[in-house]
Amino acid sequence: MAYRLPPLNSLRAFEVAARHMSFQKAAEELNVTPSALSYQIRQLEDFLQVPLFVRLNRAVRLTDAGERIAPGVHDAFERLAEAMGRLKGPAPANVLTVSTGPAFAAKWLSPRLHKFLERYPEIDIRISANLKLTDFRSDEVDLSIRFGGGNYPGLHVERLADEHVLPLISPRLLEQLGGHLRPEDLGRVALLHDDSANFIINAVSWADWLRRARVTNVDPTRGPRFSHADHALEAALDGAGIVLGRLTLSMRDIASGRLVAPFDLMVPAQAGFYFCCLPERLAEPKIRAFRDFLFSEIAAERVILDDFRQAKRSA
């Protein structure tokens, strides 16, 4: 059966822009100008006869149509890359492929990866950032870091960290709102929704947080929605609104002052981050080295997180 598909370049431009939620960052990855990337996305929108992005002053977000096609387009390029990778044959013994979610890769792992590389320069690391569960028997993946409930049968699974969610806002936007917010004032600011954890039973939403804060005058459904946690955080950093963000992913932004927590109420996210690999491969030196690195970094950060949570509880 013949299919009339959009130009591959326009699909690639859309995939990268949707992954970064930024035309600028997408243009840098593809080594084109922002105007060229914007033109390619316009081509795709014209082909499909539907807008895929809402262009904001300092950011972009996906339309409903964009949200519907983004996972499939991303998976298609992932599968294409995997197919091309099979031509290369088995990976060398010193290559370590780590699969994890895009948000964890961008907000937690990437900023710390230099420490591992300095310690183990002989290991050639590959980061595969996607939301699909790894099939260790067929995918060329050595280990994964997953966000969820930890039920991954047949694997060696260790909990890395619990997660909490809390409202986060940029200092600049908070200042524009008078420098202080009460929970009942949230009707004055856009609520940013991170929908990436909606697969979790009893995932915490704005409705849950507002109910716990005993706020009844704010519509918890309004505001932009994001399928990736890091996109929601980036929108908050750019001043698009206030996000119900994950503490582990946002801790560096909080510590640097790029985001602030205007309220004391934090809620357990009903999920955590887990280290996973095949049981028979745990003792492999490169896997053991990365596992130990992860837990060392988590232990160092846990002290900061515990201090932060304690400060919020006693505030």
Side-chain angles (χ1 to χ4, degrees):
M1 182 180 295
Y3 296 96
R4 183 170 176 262
L5 293 174
L8 186 62
N9 282 345
S10 65
L11 282 171
R12 184 57 171 161
F14 168 76
E15 188 276 331
V16 179
R19 176 155 42 85
H20 287 293
M21 206 56 64
S22 165
F23 283 10
Q24 180 67 43
K25 293 179 182 178
E28 291 172 1
E29 176 174 329
L30 295 175
N31 198 28
V32 299
T33 64
S35 60
L37 181 121
S38 181
Y39 174 75
Q40 290 172 347
I41 291 174
R42 289 286 187 194
Q43 273 192 317
L44 182 60
E45 292 175 322
D46 291 343
F47 182 94
L48 298 175
Q49 293 294 294
V50 63
L52 299 174
F53 287 96
V54 176
R55 279 77 167 173
L56 306 172
N57 287 337
R58 298 190 171 207
V60 295
R61 66 177 175 85
L62 291 168
T63 63
D64 288 343
E67 290 278 4
R68 288 198 300 272
I69 70 169
V73 174
H74 176 76
D75 287 346
F77 277 101
E78 284 277 318
R79 294 169 73 176
L80 183 60
E82 290 172 5
M84 296 300 100
R86 294 189 187 105
L87 296 175
K88 300 178 182 178
N94 70 320
V95 171
L96 178 70
T97 301
V98 178
S99 173
T100 190
F104 189 83
K107 302 298 289 185
W108 195 93
L109 182 56
S110 293
R112 295 167 172 80
L113 198 56
H114 68 95
K115 300 178 185 179
F116 180 81
L117 299 176
E118 290 167 1
R119 199 176 308 169
Y120 301 98
E122 72 281 6
I123 296 178
D124 191 359
I125 197 162
R126 306 278 191 269
I127 304 298
S128 176
N130 59 76
L131 294 175
K132 71 176 184 177
L133 288 178
T134 300
D135 184 343
F136 284 91
R137 303 295 178 183
S138 60
D139 298 339
E140 294 182 355
V141 169
D142 297 300
L143 62 94
S144 69
I145 306 154
R146 288 300 174 201
F147 180 70
N151 183 25
Y152 308 115
L155 298 178
H156 171 84
V157 179
E158 294 180 76
R159 182 186 286 267
L160 276 167
D162 294 321
E163 187 60 294
H164 292 72
V165 296
L166 72 168
L168 297 168
I169 191 171
S170 75
R172 178 173 55 84
L173 180 57
L174 184 61
E175 187 64 28
Q176 291 174 3
L177 294 168
H180 176 74
L181 278 178
R182 299 172 302 167
E184 54 267 31
D185 295 330
L186 287 173
R188 299 165 48 202
V189 58
L191 302 183
L192 306 179
H193 300 261
D194 170 13
D195 290 341
S196 64
N198 285 357
F199 68 95
I200 297 168
I201 297 174
N202 299 323
V204 180
S205 67
W206 269 115
D208 300 312
W209 190 91
L210 290 167
R211 184 166 52 252
R212 292 189 184 215
R214 299 182 180 178
V215 175
T216 60
N217 66 327
V218 175
D219 178 3
T221 64
R222 63 183 181 80
R225 313 193 76 92
F226 300 86
S227 59
H228 292 283
D230 53 324
H231 296 170
L233 288 171
E234 287 297 323
L237 284 164
D238 285 334
I242 185 168
V243 65
L244 191 63
R246 297 191 209 164
L247 183 56
T248 299
L249 300 181
S250 58
M251 197 63 229
R252 291 180 78 252
D253 292 319
I254 296 171
S256 68
R258 292 190 296 267
L259 288 174
V260 295
F263 311 119
D264 302 334
L265 177 61
M266 286 190 299
V267 181
Q270 309 300 324
F273 291 96
Y274 292 84
F275 168 88
C276 308
C277 70
L278 291 172
E280 62 268 26
R281 297 195 61 193
L282 178 62
E284 290 185 20
K286 63 182 180 181
I287 293 178
R288 173 61 67 175
F290 199 79
R291 181 256 177 216
D292 292 346
F293 161 75
L294 288 173
F295 277 91
S296 174
E297 288 297 307
I298 286 289
E301 185 173 77
R302 187 172 292 125
V303 175
I304 301 173
L305 291 174
D306 288 345
D307 288 346
F308 179 83
R309 286 194 287 257
Q310 182 60 41
K312 295 311 266 181
R313 283 194 292 265
S314 60

